Amino acid sequence: MPEPIDFYFDFSSPYSYLLSEKIDALAARFGRSVRWRPILLGAVFKASGSAPLTLQFAPKASYSVLDFQRSARFMGLPYRHPDVFPIASQYAARACYWLEETQPAQARPFAQAVFRALFVDNTDISSLDSVLEIAARCGVDLDSLAAAVQGPALKARLKTEVEAAIAHGVFGAPYIVIDGEPFFGADRLPQIERWLENGSF
Amino acid sequence: MPEPIDFYFDFSSPYSYLLSEKIDALAARFGRSVRWRPILLGAVFKASGSAPLTLQFAPKASYSVLDFQRSARFMGLPYRHPDVFPIASQYAARACYWLEETQPAQARPFAQAVFRALFVDNTDISSLDSVLEIAARCGVDLDSLAAAVQGPALKARLKTEVEAAIAHGVFGAPYIVIDGEPFFGADRLPQIERWLENGSF
């Protein structure tokens, strides 16, 4: 069995949302699985000296919002730029790791529901309540989840994952690694497809 | 006749080189011409608070060099990352505007020769001598060119072009504008193609 493809993402990243809607089906066509690894871009940008696109130079910021929407149309996906943006995603990220540890079958549907809540339904996903509400729709036991995402173990787990990602060279999201080869950005999807087809190019 | 497509680029930008090899033929398929507009990313980055990719956070810098090379292979183009990088491109940019003013038929072949000198043949294009040598191969009168690119008129012309680009919202290169719609990056080529096909999407 080949190693899973690593998919580093932040729930608050528009291009991560776009890639999240495509990567599993693409990988499956080549008999590959995908390891979803939520990270926090805030910590990554602190390490790299960068910032969210929409907080950068004004022309770049406004182009970015146009490009999120146009790229979504290009990829055949719905997109509604959130009113709250950028947005904190640590509860969602911790919940994702907790599900992976305790109810792995629920982790992927939950992650997809979080992305769609933010980028299709304009939900403020930063609050614990929103995250619990999304989890409830995925059939998750809310009392255990609420305790876990506020506890020290999950905080530490997410911190470790983010630090490991940065140490691995992740400088933004989405960031895909296939057998050691890194691909940054949803717009690298055609290159990812060719890499999976040919092993390299 | 529709307006020409605007192609803002810096001769020292790898992704500008990649797009420069494709944009004319693509535009021609849709009956469109392309206005090549050399700018200086140094001035753009000063306005935007950015920096060349290879001088950014180390993991991003090394990924960028990998991506220049891989994107070139993906697009079927030769690429040899230059030993001198980033590199000053003001003589080449001024020469390009001078040719456009005085011998327009030579401007495009000269610009393509500059890009290939830098990104295929590893030529240091920053010196006046290199630019003259490339121009000579394109059948340009060197005495007039040498005087022009060192004179105040061309310096002022390039400065005006760069300031106009920044005022227009250009925050990096390559930057394409089709009937008011902006596209940033060589990786937007498939979106540019669909835009030309459909008027919008």
Side-chain angles (χ1 to χ4, degrees), chain A residues 132-176:
Chain A
L132 294 179
E133 202 261 313
I134 295 164
R137 283 190 263 135
C138 300
V140 173
D141 174 54
L142 297 191
D143 289 341
S144 316
L145 176 62
V149 298
Q150 297 179 94
L154 258 294
K155 277 188 196 173
R157 168 80 198 270
L158 178 56
K159 194 163 180 282
T160 302
E161 291 285 347
V162 174
E163 285 167 0
I166 294 170
H168 197 74
V170 175
F171 56 84
Y175 192 95
I176 294 274

Side-chain angles (χ1 to χ4, degrees), chain B:
Chain B
M1 277 287 287
E3 277 289 294
I5 292 166
D6 281 315
F7 169 37
Y8 296 93
F9 64 93
D10 187 318
F11 282 113
S12 74
S13 152
Y15 297 123
S16 292
Y17 154 66
L18 298 182
L19 194 60
S20 77
E21 293 281 342
K22 303 287 184 181
I23 192 66
D24 282 344
L26 178 62
R29 273 177 45 209
F30 299 96
R32 302 291 292 256
S33 63
V34 181
R35 188 157 46 201
W36 286 39
R37 312 186 82 149
I39 57 169
L40 300 179
L41 281 180
V44 173
F45 290 156
K46 202 168 171 180
S48 68
S50 190
L53 285 165
T54 56
L55 303 183
Q56 295 190 25
F57 184 54
K60 186 169 184 176
S62 57
Y63 173 83
S64 296
V65 176
L66 177 155
D67 190 65
F68 300 154
Q69 297 168 326
R70 191 179 60 204
S71 293
R73 296 197 303 275
F74 186 73
M75 295 170 76
L77 296 170
Y79 186 89
R80 194 270 192 221
H81 192 64
D83 291 333
V84 182
F85 189 88
I87 192 166
S89 59
Q90 71 270 26
Y91 284 129
R94 287 183 209 150
C96 197
Y97 283 115
W98 181 77
L99 287 170
E100 202 187 85
E101 289 168 12
T102 60
Q103 309 167 51
Q106 256 67 51
R108 194 65 48 95
F110 169 78
Q112 290 180 317
V114 172
F115 269 132
R116 291 172 191 173
L118 178 57
F119 292 111
V120 181
D121 301 327
N122 193 30
T123 305
D124 177 347
I125 60 142
S126 65
S127 71
L128 180 57
D129 282 354
S130 298
V131 168
L132 293 178
E133 203 261 315
I134 295 164
R137 283 189 263 136
C138 301
V140 174
D141 174 53
L142 296 191
D143 289 343
S144 317
L145 176 62
V149 298
Q150 296 178 93
L154 259 293
K155 276 188 197 174
R157 168 80 198 271
L158 178 56
K159 193 163 180 285
T160 302
E161 292 283 348
V162 174
E163 284 167 0
I166 294 170
H168 197 74
V170 175
F171 57 83
Y175 191 95
I176 294 275
V177 183
I178 307 173
D179 306 327
E181 183 79 3
F183 297 85
F184 170 60
D187 44 26
R188 289 297 175 273
L189 198 61
Q191 294 196 23
I192 290 169
E193 181 172 12
R194 195 181 297 178
W195 199 269
L196 288 169
E197 243 165 8
N198 298 344
S200 69
F201 62 79

Side-chain angles (χ1 to χ4, degrees), chain A residues 13-118:
Chain A
S13 151
Y15 296 124
S16 291
Y17 154 66
L18 298 182
L19 194 60
S20 79
E21 293 281 342
K22 302 287 184 182
I23 192 66
D24 282 343
L26 178 62
R29 273 178 46 211
F30 298 96
R32 303 290 292 255
S33 63
V34 181
R35 188 157 45 200
W36 286 40
R37 312 184 80 147
I39 56 169
L40 299 178
L41 280 180
V44 172
F45 290 158
K46 203 169 170 183
S48 68
S50 190
L53 285 164
T54 56
L55 302 183
Q56 295 189 24
F57 184 54
K60 186 170 185 177
S62 57
Y63 172 83
S64 296
V65 176
L66 178 154
D67 190 65
F68 300 155
Q69 295 167 326
R70 191 178 60 205
S71 293
R73 295 196 303 275
F74 186 73
M75 295 170 77
L77 296 170
Y79 185 89
R80 195 267 192 221
H81 192 63
D83 291 333
V84 182
F85 189 87
I87 192 166
S89 59
Q90 70 270 26
Y91 285 130
R94 287 183 210 150
C96 198
Y97 283 116
W98 181 76
L99 288 170
E100 203 187 84
E101 289 169 12
T102 60
Q103 310 168 49
Q106 257 66 53
R108 194 66 48 93
F110 169 77
Q112 290 181 319
V114 172
F115 269 132
R116 290 172 191 171
L118 177 58

